[in-house]
Amino acid sequence: MTSMKTTAALLALCAAVEPSAAFMTAPVRTSSATSTSLKQTKDNYEFQRKLLEAQFAISGAATVEDHIEEQKQSSTPSIDATAFQNFLDEQEQPSAPIDATAIQKSILRVAASTDRGQYASAAQKESVASLVESLESNKPKQTDTFSSSATLPSYLAGTWELTYSTNQLFRSSPFFLAGRSTCKTQAEVDQYNWFCEMHRAALAISTIGVVRQVISRDGKLTNEFEVKVGAVPFVSDFLPFVKYSGGLPLTVDGAIVSTADATPMSMENKDDWQLYMDTVEIKGSNIPILRNLLDGDNSKLKSRDLSKLLEDNVDAYEVPRPVLRTTYVDSALRIVRDEDDNIFIYSRVSDSEEVTDYSNVMADLGVASLLEGFNDAVSKIYL
């Protein structure tokens, strides 16, 4: 069907060359030169008319008169060719570029004041969601500097720290993402969400530290979730004669480390991945004796072995492969959405693809650092 733009232009052209009815019908005495000019004008008019009729035939109108009659009967007024062209030109104008740096600063301000979104109000969450959408709609094109043999692109590889989430922070872990992926109905999703809320409430006494992702070019995703829990939260429970409602400055420290393989959805789109859960283990525990047990290979939860066992014995079981979509990434920030459209925002720490080494954490419940601090601040005894 002929476009409105083409039709409008042809109508304008026809109007410009069409002689008046009086001019075409009134007898006029003319010289031979004038007759020749009139003949050329008439021929030109006939040519334009046939051209228009051919165009209108495509759109369903047999003749120019048919098209004019349709315009009369139509409630829609005819479009001026120049005005319509101006309208098209305005639509083709690119939108003004956004200030990505200013938007990111606004997001990070909310993240900092709400502990990565954990205590964000509904209004703050709505504000961040709007800012995130602005960034996503202006996602910059990134250049992959890795060779074609690399599974993941260079602009995603490296070490990232979680700075904001619309969900519980631990749900950035492949383990919990895989758990959500096992839900097949909305009722199951609701039950899983409730379980995660209760899980966080039960651990309210704990403090969540750094939540980190290390992404390697070979497609390995490592999630490090560092946490502290009061070792002796209430002294009076253990020493009734001590009238003190607080606890001792000793903590149980550790990091829950989960790994997964990240496979791009396609070679043309390496920003969206399917995750295949691998292992879960606790590293960097400062609990004496237990530390030695946790550092052994047998302490790892090997989820693939469990998945294979279930797959071989339960007909309805399917290996969970959650999907993560990178909706925005630049040199400093990365925005990810899960299958429920929950938002996880990461800040780049470095280009390093090395996971954290927790071997230097002392298994003493923090007693050594407590005594060292007491000596430096109070006793000041140095040998």
Side-chain angles (χ1 to χ4, degrees):
M1 187 174 180
T2 306
S3 68
M4 295 178 65
K5 181 178 177 180
T6 303
T7 304
L10 290 170
L11 283 170
L13 179 62
C14 181
V17 300
E18 181 179 7
S20 67
F23 179 79
M24 293 296 297
T25 57
V28 179
R29 295 182 180 274
T30 61
S31 64
S32 59
T34 304
S35 298
T36 301
S37 176
L38 286 173
K39 184 176 184 305
Q40 291 175 347
T41 301
K42 184 176 181 180
D43 290 344
N44 185 48
Y45 169 71
E46 291 298 332
F47 171 77
Q48 297 293 339
R49 181 186 180 87
K50 290 178 180 179
L51 179 61
L52 273 176
E53 287 180 345
Q55 297 287 342
F56 294 144
I58 297 175
S59 62
T63 65
V64 176
E65 286 77 9
D66 292 338
H67 179 76
I68 293 173
E69 187 62 28
E70 289 176 4
Q71 292 294 321
K72 290 179 180 179
Q73 295 176 1
S74 174
S75 60
T76 304
S78 298
I79 300 175
D80 178 76
T82 302
F84 186 66
Q85 181 62 53
N86 292 338
F87 170 78
L88 291 177
D89 292 340
E90 290 175 1
Q91 301 306 306
E92 292 172 0
Q93 290 295 325
S95 58
I98 64 170
D99 188 344
T101 302
I103 291 176
Q104 291 180 20
K105 287 181 178 179
S106 297
I107 292 174
L108 294 177
R109 276 195 295 270
V110 176
S113 64
T114 61
D115 192 5
R116 294 165 288 188
Q118 290 190 93
Y119 306 108
S121 65
Q124 288 173 315
K125 289 181 178 180
E126 185 177 348
S127 174
V128 171
S130 177
L131 294 171
V132 165
E133 290 175 1
S134 296
L135 290 176
E136 290 173 333
S137 62
N138 291 271
K139 180 180 178 181
K141 183 174 178 57
Q142 300 293 330
T143 302
D144 185 7
T145 60
F146 287 166
S147 65
S148 57
S149 61
T151 303
L152 300 180
S154 58
Y155 53 84
L156 293 178
T159 300
W160 304 79
E161 287 185 2
L162 184 64
T163 53
Y164 180 86
S165 173
T166 56
N167 215 337
Q168 293 93 355
L169 302 184
F170 59 79
R171 293 189 66 170
S172 62
S173 162
F175 178 79
F176 284 94
L177 290 170
R180 162 61 185 88
S181 189
T182 61
C183 302
K184 302 302 180 184
T185 66
Q186 186 58 48
E188 292 177 349
V189 172
D190 294 340
Q191 291 171 6
Y192 187 74
N193 290 337
W194 178 84
F195 164 78
C196 289
E197 290 174 4
M198 295 303 100
H199 176 65
R200 182 64 188 109
L203 298 176
I205 196 172
S206 65
T207 301
I208 299 175
V210 175
V211 181
R212 185 185 300 110
Q213 276 191 354
V214 182
I215 302 170
S216 64
R217 67 188 69 196
D218 62 357
K220 180 67 71 176
L221 173 66
T222 302
N223 199 87
E224 300 169 348
F225 185 87
E226 298 179 357
V227 65
K228 291 178 180 287
V229 182
V232 187
F234 304 105
V235 174
S236 58
D237 290 344
F238 298 91
L239 303 172
F241 56 86
V242 177
K243 301 301 181 182
Y244 176 59
S245 60
L248 293 178
L250 302 175
T251 60
V252 174
D253 300 353
I256 303 170
V257 180
S258 54
T259 61
D261 289 338
T263 304
M265 300 294 286
S266 68
M267 293 306 295
E268 293 75 26
N269 180 16
K270 290 188 175 184
D271 292 356
D272 298 348
W273 312 330
Q274 267 194 340
L275 300 183
Y276 183 23
M277 185 62 206
D278 192 4
T279 62
V280 180
E281 60 184 316
I282 297 176
K283 291 186 176 182
S285 172
N286 67 344
I287 303 177
I289 303 175
L290 181 61
R291 168 68 173 275
N292 295 332
L293 297 175
L294 293 174
D295 285 348
D297 189 63
N298 292 331
S299 66
K300 288 183 180 180
L301 171 63
K302 299 178 180 179
S303 64
R304 292 182 184 178
D305 293 343
L306 178 60
S307 289
K308 188 176 188 310
L309 178 64
L310 292 172
E311 198 171 23
D312 292 342
N313 295 278
V314 181
D315 293 337
Y317 179 78
E318 295 180 4
V319 177
R321 295 182 183 269
V323 174
L324 278 184
R325 298 177 291 115
T326 301
T327 57
Y328 179 89
V329 63
D330 60 21
S331 60
L333 204 72
R334 170 172 148 254
I335 300 175
V336 177
R337 290 183 182 263
D338 65 9
E339 57 188 297
D340 293 321
D341 246 11
N342 291 310
I343 298 171
F344 301 94
I345 302 178
Y346 295 86
S347 295
R348 180 182 286 278
V349 176
S350 70
D351 294 333
S352 173
E353 300 173 34
E354 297 295 325
V355 298
T356 303
D357 181 10
Y358 290 98
S359 62
N360 60 348
V361 176
M362 297 182 64
D364 63 352
L365 290 176
V367 172
S369 61
L370 173 62
L371 293 177
E372 182 181 354
F374 180 81
N375 184 65
D376 291 341
V378 182
S379 60
K380 300 184 183 297
I381 300 173
Y382 301 101
L383 299 178

